[in-house]
């Protein structure tokens, strides 16, 4: 994820990377050299040594709260991968600190900024699908796990595939169908490649009356040399309405396939749109908010609600 974010930062106008922090000194120096930036082994060293405006945090889930809190209390804006925190009380505290310090806290809901989802929402809003009654969302593939991968530690992840993968599908479904009224997760007790479950399914009921199923899998059998995330991943949503249906694929390549009553199936290829376009949009939204040019599209309270849904579904 650091490599993905670094590529996006390079393409964001008006953003200069001036420091990289990683407790693994060699890793910090390697990435810092790409930017001509300073290398540090902790966020505290950066905040004490460099006049930064904002930090981009990419760490195991159990460190989100402490590092974001440290930055916000130092008066620094924060962009961070999801989830906002490991627990709901921690997430609420971060929202409170950001509000009190008047700092921007943005959690990377990258798929909301992907052109394929934006086009899907446009189609839904035209009414061409009629009333959307049901949906299926999936995120499935083979995840290579290095010996130091934090997903091997349940405490570091805060759970397994459900906590790690389902949040993206939840906010995508809510972008299409409105707020979820009830969410329930079913987690297997079988052996897993992760510290917790590597497969999970969920069921959602929306305020609109629509229903959806959610499927996350991190151990789908690899089928070739490019099977790891994102190249070998399948990520998308199927929507069924009273007047039509639509299939949205983010991966392995972006496209929409939709059909309305009495009409031939229509393919809208977005194959020239890279997957990290969503990350680019999310960070540009954050940068604009830091500069005072606009307000955040994804507020920290939105990420808090996403975490509340995921956690409550897991606890049932």
């Amino acid at each position: 994820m650091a490599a993905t974010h670094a590529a996006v930062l390079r393409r964001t106008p008006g953003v200069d990377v001036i420091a990289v922090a990683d407790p693994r000194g060699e890793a910090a120096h390697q990435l810092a050299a790409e930017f001509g930036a300073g290398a540090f082994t902790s966020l505290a060293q950066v905040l004490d040594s460099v006049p930064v405006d904002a930090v981009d945090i990419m760490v195991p889930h159990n460190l989100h709260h402490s590092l974001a809190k440290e930055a916000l209390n130092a008066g620094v804006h924060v962009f961070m991968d999801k989830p906002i925190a490991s627990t709901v009380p921690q997430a609420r505290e971060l929202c409170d600190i950001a509000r009190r310090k008047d700092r921007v806290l943005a959690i990377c809901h990258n798929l909301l900024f992907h052109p394929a989802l934006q086009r899907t929402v446009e189609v839904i809003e035209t009414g061409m699908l009629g009333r959307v009654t049901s949906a299926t969302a999936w995120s499935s593939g083979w995840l290579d796990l290095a010996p130091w991968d934090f997903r091997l530690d349940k405490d570091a992840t805060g759970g397994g595939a459900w906590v790690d993968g389902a949040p993206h599908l939840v906010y995508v479904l809510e972008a299409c169908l409105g707020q979820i009224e009830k969410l329930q997760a079913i987690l297997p007790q079988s052996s897993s490649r992760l510290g917790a479950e590597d497969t999970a399914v969920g069921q959602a009921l929306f305020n609109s009356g629509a229903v959806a199923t959610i499927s996350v899998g991190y151990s789908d059998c690899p089928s070739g040399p490019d099977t790891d995330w994102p190249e070998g991943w399948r990520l998308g949503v199927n929507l069924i309405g009273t007047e039509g249906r639509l299939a949205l694929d983010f991966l392995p390549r972006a496209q929409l396939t939709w059909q309305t009553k009495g009409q031939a199936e229509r393919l809208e290829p977005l194959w020239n749109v890279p997957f990290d376009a969503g990350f680019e949009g999310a960070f540009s939204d954050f940068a604009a908010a830091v500069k005072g040019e606009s307000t955040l599209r994804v507020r920290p309270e939105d990420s808090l609600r996403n975490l509340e849904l995921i956690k409550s579904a897991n606890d049932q």
Side-chain angles (χ1 to χ4, degrees):
M1 292 311 304
T4 298
H5 283 226
V8 168
L9 292 172
R10 288 191 183 93
R11 299 195 297 267
T12 305
V15 175
D16 296 316
V17 177
I18 59 175
V20 175
D22 193 310
R24 303 165 299 172
E26 182 178 349
H29 281 282
Q30 182 177 352
L31 186 56
E34 298 181 19
F35 292 96
F40 301 84
T41 56
S42 71
L43 176 60
Q45 287 182 348
V46 173
L47 297 176
D48 288 341
S49 307
V50 184
V52 297
D53 299 310
V55 295
D56 183 359
I57 297 175
M58 294 150 288
V59 295
H61 300 167
N62 63 326
L63 300 178
H64 283 197
H65 171 258
S66 60
L67 292 178
K69 180 178 180 179
E70 183 179 2
L72 291 169
N73 279 329
V76 173
H77 304 286
V78 173
F79 183 81
M80 184 164 60
D81 265 324
K82 63 84 200 151
I84 183 172
S86 292
T87 70
V88 170
Q90 288 177 346
R92 288 176 180 152
E93 182 181 19
L94 290 182
C95 290
D96 290 342
I97 295 173
R99 189 181 308 111
R100 187 172 67 252
K101 292 287 187 177
D102 193 26
R103 298 292 87 180
V104 177
L105 170 61
I107 309 304
C108 187
H109 291 196
N110 55 292
L111 294 179
L112 286 181
F113 297 88
H114 195 288
L117 179 59
Q118 294 171 343
R119 174 60 179 143
T120 296
V121 173
E122 288 178 2
V123 172
I124 295 171
E125 290 178 345
T126 65
M128 286 186 285
L129 302 182
R131 179 174 60 87
V132 180
T133 58
S134 64
T136 304
W138 62 89
S139 177
S140 179
W142 179 267
L143 190 68
D144 283 340
L145 297 168
W148 44 263
D149 195 305
F150 75 92
R151 295 176 186 86
L152 296 173
D153 183 349
K154 182 179 179 180
D155 292 334
T157 313
W162 177 257
V163 167
D164 195 44
H168 290 299
L169 299 179
V170 165
Y171 69 65
V172 166
L173 285 169
E174 289 202 314
C176 296
L177 301 175
Q179 283 199 345
I180 291 175
E181 179 180 321
K182 183 179 181 181
L183 180 65
Q184 182 176 6
I186 304 171
L187 310 182
Q189 303 300 314
S190 56
S191 61
S192 170
R193 298 172 57 244
L194 277 62
E197 82 286 343
D198 59 6
T199 302
V201 296
Q203 299 174 318
L205 172 66
F206 295 79
N207 291 339
S208 65
V211 294
T213 59
I214 298 170
S215 175
V216 184
Y218 281 12
S219 293
D220 285 9
C221 184
S223 58
D226 298 320
T227 56
D228 196 20
W229 184 91
E231 289 81 5
W233 218 255
R234 292 179 63 254
L235 175 61
V237 178
N238 280 340
L239 303 171
I240 305 297
T242 56
E243 299 294 328
R245 60 188 179 188
L246 183 148
L248 158 62
D249 291 297
F250 294 106
L251 293 171
R253 58 183 182 179
Q255 64 182 30
L256 273 64
T257 309
W258 54 285
Q259 185 176 22
T260 56
K261 282 184 177 180
Q263 301 295 318
E265 187 174 82
R266 177 178 177 182
L267 172 66
E268 293 190 21
L270 295 168
W271 302 332
N272 63 331
V273 178
F275 183 67
D276 64 5
F279 292 94
E280 190 169 334
F283 194 84
S284 293
D285 185 63
F286 167 70
V290 169
K291 296 174 184 177
E293 298 171 354
S294 64
T295 57
L296 281 176
R297 178 178 176 186
V298 181
R299 304 169 304 150
E301 291 78 13
D302 298 326
S303 298
L304 165 60
R305 183 175 178 280
N306 182 274
L307 181 66
E308 288 174 332
L309 283 169
I310 291 296
K311 289 293 188 179
S312 65
N314 199 3
D315 293 338
Q316 294 181 32

